[in-house]
Amino acid sequence: MTQLTKVLITGAGTGIGRALAVKAASMGFSVILAGRSEETLASTLAACASDRVRYVVADVTTARGRGAICAATDGHLDYLINNAGTLTVGHLQDMMDSDLEQMVATNLVAPIALTRDLLPALRAAQGRIVNIGSVFGDIAYPFFAAYSATKFGLRGFSDAIRREL
């Protein structure tokens, strides 16, 4: 029996994550949606219109959340799409520590840690890692200083892990 291509998408409840999920489902892939909101994940699940799609409510910024996501793969993963992200815009001088910490945790630390945690499942399938970046990871822009820093970091991680693997 042929195993379906298994895709895991973080931040799958809305936006780019939802669009990727709908496309992957339409291609017949087995899709695991991950996100913090059961309501938005259920909405994405309904939009996928496939019995090959399921979701896990989990916060990628926590070890517990990443553990739940890893468990959902059953040790085999063809594509990891690190899409979850957050953005706070404004003058750096007006940003709270919590804004900065949330962006760094979600946009940079979480994809690195989740990739690390899923390496055995990815290796088992000879899988691929897709990190969703931003133009602000190539071009630094005023009022996006902290966000740009996280996306520049994600780009650096992507380059390094590609060479490492």
Side-chain angles (χ1 to χ4, degrees):
M1 184 169 121
T2 304
Q3 186 166 0
L4 292 174
T5 298
K6 190 182 297 182
V7 179
L8 169 67
I9 304 167
T10 66
T14 61
I16 294 169
R18 177 175 287 170
L20 290 169
V22 169
K23 182 63 175 178
S26 76
M27 295 174 70
F29 296 157
S30 171
V31 184
I32 304 167
L33 313 172
R36 294 178 298 168
S37 166
E38 184 162 11
E39 183 179 337
T40 60
L41 290 172
S43 178
T44 298
L45 178 68
C48 289
S50 169
D51 61 354
R52 295 180 177 145
V53 181
R54 59 196 163 102
Y55 65 81
V56 57
V57 178
D59 183 344
V60 294
T61 68
T62 69
R64 182 176 182 188
R66 290 188 303 273
I69 292 168
C70 291
T73 69
D74 297 321
H76 181 95
L77 185 61
D78 296 289
Y79 291 95
L80 166 60
I81 302 177
N82 284 310
N83 172 68
T86 189
L87 167 66
T88 302
V89 179
H91 287 280
L92 182 60
Q93 69 187 19
D94 298 331
M95 295 219 178
M96 307 293 292
D97 284 354
S98 58
D99 296 327
L100 301 174
E101 290 165 358
Q102 187 63 40
M103 278 192 285
V104 171
T106 306
N107 300 350
L108 185 57
V109 176
I112 293 170
L114 186 60
T115 300
R116 175 202 61 206
D117 295 349
L118 285 170
L119 281 176
L122 289 160
R123 284 189 172 121
Q126 296 182 321
R128 301 284 184 253
I129 302 160
V130 179
N131 293 319
I132 303 298
S134 169
V135 68
F136 294 113
D138 292 323
I139 302 168
Y141 199 75
F143 310 110
F144 289 81
Y147 179 75
S148 287
T150 66
K151 291 302 184 173
F152 269 84
L154 185 62
R155 188 179 69 174
F157 168 67
S158 299
D159 287 345
I161 197 66
R162 182 183 69 247
R163 289 181 174 112
E164 185 174 322
L165 299 176

